[in-house]
Amino acid sequence: MPFRASVVTLYPDMFPGPLGHSLAGRALERGDWTLDTTHIRLFGEGRHRTVDDTPAGGSAGMVLRADVLSRAIDAASPPGDDRPRLLMSPRGEPLTQPLVRALSAEPGLVIVCGRFEGVDERVIEGRALREVSVGDYILSGGEAGALVLLDAVVRLLPGVMGNAQSGTCESFEDGLLEHPHYTRPPVWEGRAIPDVLTSGDHGAVDRWRRQEAERITRERRPDLMARLARDTDG
Ligand code: SAH
């Protein structure tokens, strides 16, 4: 069975969006994964299909109603669906490559996209939504986050990446940021490619890449370097 992504959203037209192009798009056409959307508006209340209301306790903004959102989620993911249900949320667990890899091993995902000030807390509890964040900043809605998450997950699905190797030697896969890349021309605006890369000595190339990866990680992301040191000690 292909990996099945279902997105619960007020903006179904945003999908597949960028995921309809390039690797993910071709994989979608081939049927390596499937994507469907559930339009929250269709489950709204009354003639105007209202989906939101003012926050209990007062304050600015609107909140997605528990009854409306749960109906949409239940339509996308009926009882017995064994896929994890995620909620895009700035309060969520940070999206990292290990989490992406774990999610890519699931039969699929149900991804709920918040809007306005967010969603009624009771739906998070009642539908066991796992909150996932794409970073410490606020988006206007969960859709852009869902596209980021799916992009990262889909490229790990079997058959999606042509070159299997390029899925494994990337930033983060070994806990380090990636070494620099070079290609033609050999000299560009007076800048040459480092000699070691054209030396033909594969051992030296590997050592240089490892050193550069460590240098760049130390300089830019001391937090990753510290985690790596902890993991290899323990
Ligand atoms: N009032 C909320 C922000 C709501 S933003 C707060 O301060 O926490 C509206 C919606 O955008 C959210 O419900 C969520 O689905 C999505 N969103 C915003 N920032 C996000 C992030 N960093 N990661 C994932 N989803 C995010």
Side-chain angles (χ1 to χ4, degrees):
M1 284 288 279
F3 183 93
R4 187 168 154 239
S6 298
V7 179
V8 179
T9 173
L10 273 170
Y11 297 94
D13 292 350
M14 289 190 183
F15 298 87
L19 301 178
H21 299 265
S22 190
L23 282 178
R26 283 195 293 277
L28 193 56
E29 278 170 19
R30 278 198 306 269
D32 289 341
W33 68 296
T34 68
L35 176 66
D36 55 82
T37 54
T38 298
H39 194 349
I40 299 170
R41 182 71 61 194
L42 299 178
F43 300 87
E45 289 282 308
R47 197 160 56 88
H48 296 292
R49 296 266 170 254
T50 304
V51 297
D52 57 339
D53 213 322
T54 53
S59 84
M62 301 294 270
V63 176
L64 274 167
R65 287 176 59 124
D67 50 358
V68 173
L69 185 58
S70 64
R71 284 198 292 265
I73 294 171
D74 293 346
S77 182
D81 187 351
D82 56 353
R83 296 173 296 165
R85 286 184 293 272
L86 311 183
L87 172 67
M88 301 316 300
S89 161
R91 299 190 315 196
E93 158 185 8
L95 185 66
T96 59
Q97 193 63 18
L99 177 55
V100 165
R101 199 161 273 286
L103 294 176
S104 73
E106 296 287 353
L109 296 171
V110 179
I111 306 178
V112 180
C113 300
R115 276 277 157 180
F116 319 118
E117 289 308 311
V119 311
D120 190 305
E121 188 74 15
R122 292 169 294 180
V123 181
I124 303 177
E125 298 162 9
R127 292 299 178 271
L129 302 182
R130 179 174 180 183
E131 293 179 70
V132 176
S133 166
V134 293
D136 291 342
Y137 42 79
I138 304 295
L139 300 170
S140 50
E143 289 77 9
L147 290 168
V148 166
L149 186 149
L150 284 173
D151 183 315
V153 166
V154 164
R155 61 188 285 287
L156 295 184
L157 298 176
V160 173
M161 298 263 291
N163 174 0
Q165 226 235 304
S166 61
T168 55
C169 66
E170 314 254 19
S171 288
F172 305 121
E173 286 291 352
D174 57 4
L176 292 173
L177 301 180
E178 205 184 38
H179 56 77
H181 295 289
Y182 298 88
T183 183
R184 285 173 221 282
V187 180
W188 173 78
E189 295 190 352
R191 296 163 193 267
I193 294 174
D195 285 337
V196 59
L197 297 181
T198 48
S199 67
D201 180 342
H202 297 298
V205 168
D206 286 347
R207 282 192 298 280
W208 180 86
R209 285 182 171 160
R210 177 77 195 184
Q211 279 164 17
E212 284 295 290
E214 288 180 6
R215 177 184 64 77
I216 289 169
T217 308
R218 213 168 21 246
E219 284 172 12
R220 301 184 187 181
R221 294 292 302 276
D223 58 314
L224 288 180
M225 214 59 200
R227 187 186 307 163
L228 196 63
R230 263 202 318 280
D231 292 353
T232 46
D233 282 354

